[in-house]
Amino acid sequence: MRFGLAILGFFIGGPIGAIAGYFIGVFIERSRIDISRQANRSRRDAFFLGLSGLAAEVMKADGTVSKDEVLYVKEFFIREFGVETASRMMKQLKIFVTEKVPVEQICRQISLIFDPSSRLLIVHFLHGLANADGRETVEEQQVINRIASLLGISQSENRSAGSMYKDDLKSCYEILEVSENASDEEVKKAYKKAAVKYHPDRVASLGADVQKEANERFAKINAAYDKIKESRGLK
């Protein structure tokens, strides 16, 4: 059944549709749950289906899925969608953790459907997940680097996203994608560019709940700029 639904999903929605169909089939085979609400996935649902798959890949990277990582994802889903939807998404995540995740297909489809701002938000979330248990391991970093590359995210953008979970001055410069040796004017321009690139309005199409996460990221950019200004004595 799962492969039949995968084929149907592919014709309807490409690789992510196929993935959705496959895992809906897995759900039916394993738990016999009602799939009526799963059948008609919106663009927003596809975003979080892909996010669940990529999150699972990061969680498995170092060979151990920690309780902190599971809690991080669960709290994220609850915060963004409420308890009921979070419960459904956690079931999806659990299956991704136990199955082989077709990362290339997911990233390819996400890149076709979503704009760079939405893709950056995914990478930001993955770095947060990797840091949930205290540090981002080399294995987790390698997986995220691969995902970022597949999503068309540059190395500097990826480094910026990862640096948002650090609090030293060097990381503040990395967040703004500018050198520590940059002039004051270059720092100001870098901040303005980052403010436009990461503005929450750029992911408005994904709903108000996603914008909440974007607002937190935007706040980190402002905090990084404030720390740099303070260190340089800028106003």
CSV table of all heavy atoms in Angstrom, one decimal, residues 44 79-81 200 203-215:
chain,number,residue,atom,x,y,z
A,44,ARG,N,2.0,24.9,3.1
A,44,ARG,CA,2.5,25.0,4.4
A,44,ARG,C,2.8,23.6,5.0
A,44,ARG,O,3.8,23.3,5.7
A,44,ARG,CB,1.5,25.8,5.3
A,44,ARG,CG,2.0,26.0,6.7
A,44,ARG,CD,1.0,27.0,7.3
A,44,ARG,NE,1.2,27.1,8.7
A,44,ARG,CZ,0.5,26.3,9.6
A,44,ARG,NH1,-0.3,25.4,9.1
A,44,ARG,NH2,0.7,26.4,10.9
A,79,ARG,N,4.7,25.0,20.0
A,79,ARG,CA,4.7,26.5,20.0
A,79,ARG,C,4.2,27.0,18.7
A,79,ARG,O,3.4,28.0,18.7
A,79,ARG,CB,6.2,27.0,20.2
A,79,ARG,CG,6.3,28.5,20.3
A,79,ARG,CD,7.7,28.9,20.7
A,79,ARG,NE,8.7,28.6,19.6
A,79,ARG,CZ,9.6,27.7,19.7
A,79,ARG,NH1,9.7,26.9,20.8
A,79,ARG,NH2,10.5,27.5,18.8
A,80,GLU,N,4.5,26.4,17.6
A,80,GLU,CA,4.1,26.9,16.3
A,80,GLU,C,2.7,26.5,15.9
A,80,GLU,O,2.0,27.2,15.2
A,80,GLU,CB,5.1,26.4,15.2
A,80,GLU,CG,6.5,26.9,15.4
A,80,GLU,CD,6.6,28.4,15.5
A,80,GLU,OE1,5.9,29.1,14.8
A,80,GLU,OE2,7.5,28.9,16.2
A,81,PHE,N,2.2,25.2,16.3
A,81,PHE,CA,1.0,24.7,15.7
A,81,PHE,C,0.0,24.3,16.8
A,81,PHE,O,-1.2,23.9,16.4
A,81,PHE,CB,1.3,23.5,14.8
A,81,PHE,CG,2.4,23.7,13.9
A,81,PHE,CD1,3.6,23.1,14.0
A,81,PHE,CD2,2.2,24.6,12.8
A,81,PHE,CE1,4.6,23.3,13.1
A,81,PHE,CE2,3.2,24.9,11.9
A,81,PHE,CZ,4.4,24.2,12.1
A,200,PRO,N,11.0,39.1,8.9
A,200,PRO,CA,9.9,38.1,9.0
A,200,PRO,C,8.8,38.2,7.9
A,200,PRO,O,8.2,37.2,7.6
A,200,PRO,CB,9.3,38.5,10.4
A,200,PRO,CG,10.4,39.1,11.1
A,200,PRO,CD,11.2,39.9,10.1
A,203,VAL,N,8.6,35.6,5.0
A,203,VAL,CA,8.1,34.2,5.1
A,203,VAL,C,6.6,34.3,5.5
A,203,VAL,O,6.0,33.4,6.0
A,203,VAL,CB,8.8,33.3,6.1
A,203,VAL,CG1,10.2,33.0,5.6
A,203,VAL,CG2,8.9,34.0,7.5
A,204,ALA,N,6.0,35.4,5.2
A,204,ALA,CA,4.6,35.6,5.5
A,204,ALA,C,3.6,34.6,4.9
A,204,ALA,O,2.6,34.2,5.4
A,204,ALA,CB,4.1,37.0,5.1
A,205,SER,N,4.0,34.1,3.7
A,205,SER,CA,3.2,33.1,3.0
A,205,SER,C,3.1,31.8,3.8
A,205,SER,O,2.2,31.0,3.5
A,205,SER,CB,3.7,32.9,1.6
A,205,SER,OG,5.0,32.3,1.7
A,206,LEU,N,3.9,31.5,4.7
A,206,LEU,CA,3.9,30.3,5.5
A,206,LEU,C,3.1,30.4,6.7
A,206,LEU,O,2.9,29.5,7.5
A,206,LEU,CB,5.3,29.8,5.8
A,206,LEU,CG,6.2,29.5,4.6
A,206,LEU,CD1,7.6,29.1,5.1
A,206,LEU,CD2,5.6,28.3,3.9
A,207,GLY,N,2.5,31.6,7.0
A,207,GLY,CA,1.6,31.8,8.1
A,207,GLY,C,2.2,32.5,9.3
A,207,GLY,O,3.5,32.6,9.4
A,208,ALA,N,1.4,33.0,10.1
A,208,ALA,CA,1.8,33.8,11.3
A,208,ALA,C,2.7,33.0,12.2
A,208,ALA,O,3.6,33.5,12.9
A,208,ALA,CB,0.6,34.4,12.0
A,209,ASP,N,2.4,31.7,12.4
A,209,ASP,CA,3.1,30.9,13.3
A,209,ASP,C,4.6,30.8,12.9
A,209,ASP,O,5.5,30.8,13.7
A,209,ASP,CB,2.5,29.5,13.4
A,209,ASP,CG,2.1,28.9,12.1
A,209,ASP,OD1,2.6,29.4,11.1
A,209,ASP,OD2,1.4,27.9,12.1
A,210,VAL,N,4.9,30.6,11.6
A,210,VAL,CA,6.2,30.6,11.1
A,210,VAL,C,6.9,31.9,11.3
A,210,VAL,O,8.1,32.0,11.6
A,210,VAL,CB,6.3,30.2,9.6
A,210,VAL,CG1,7.7,30.2,9.1
A,210,VAL,CG2,5.7,28.8,9.4
A,211,GLN,N,6.2,33.0,11.2
A,211,GLN,CA,6.7,34.3,11.4
A,211,GLN,C,7.2,34.5,12.8
A,211,GLN,O,8.2,35.3,13.0
A,211,GLN,CB,5.7,35.4,11.0
A,211,GLN,CG,5.6,35.7,9.5
A,211,GLN,CD,4.7,36.9,9.2
A,211,GLN,OE1,3.5,36.9,9.5
A,211,GLN,NE2,5.3,37.9,8.7
A,212,LYS,N,6.7,33.8,13.7
A,212,LYS,CA,7.1,33.9,15.1
A,212,LYS,C,8.6,33.5,15.2
A,212,LYS,O,9.4,34.1,15.9
A,212,LYS,CB,6.3,33.0,16.0
A,212,LYS,CG,4.8,33.5,16.2
A,212,LYS,CD,4.1,32.5,17.1
A,212,LYS,CE,2.6,32.9,17.2
A,212,LYS,NZ,1.8,31.9,18.0
A,213,GLU,N,8.9,32.4,14.6
A,213,GLU,CA,10.3,31.9,14.6
A,213,GLU,C,11.2,32.8,13.8
A,213,GLU,O,12.3,33.1,14.2
A,213,GLU,CB,10.3,30.5,13.9
A,213,GLU,CG,11.5,29.7,14.2
A,213,GLU,CD,11.6,29.2,15.6
A,213,GLU,OE1,10.6,29.2,16.3
A,213,GLU,OE2,12.8,28.9,16.0
A,214,ALA,N,10.7,33.4,12.7
A,214,ALA,CA,11.4,34.4,12.0
A,214,ALA,C,11.7,35.6,12.8
A,214,ALA,O,12.8,36.2,12.7
A,214,ALA,CB,10.7,34.8,10.7
A,215,ASN,N,10.8,36.0,13.6
A,215,ASN,CA,10.9,37.2,14.5
A,215,ASN,C,12.1,36.9,15.5
A,215,ASN,O,12.9,37.8,15.8
A,215,ASN,CB,9.6,37.5,15.3
A,215,ASN,CG,8.6,38.2,14.5
A,215,ASN,OD1,9.0,39.1,13.7
A,215,ASN,ND2,7.4,37.9,14.6
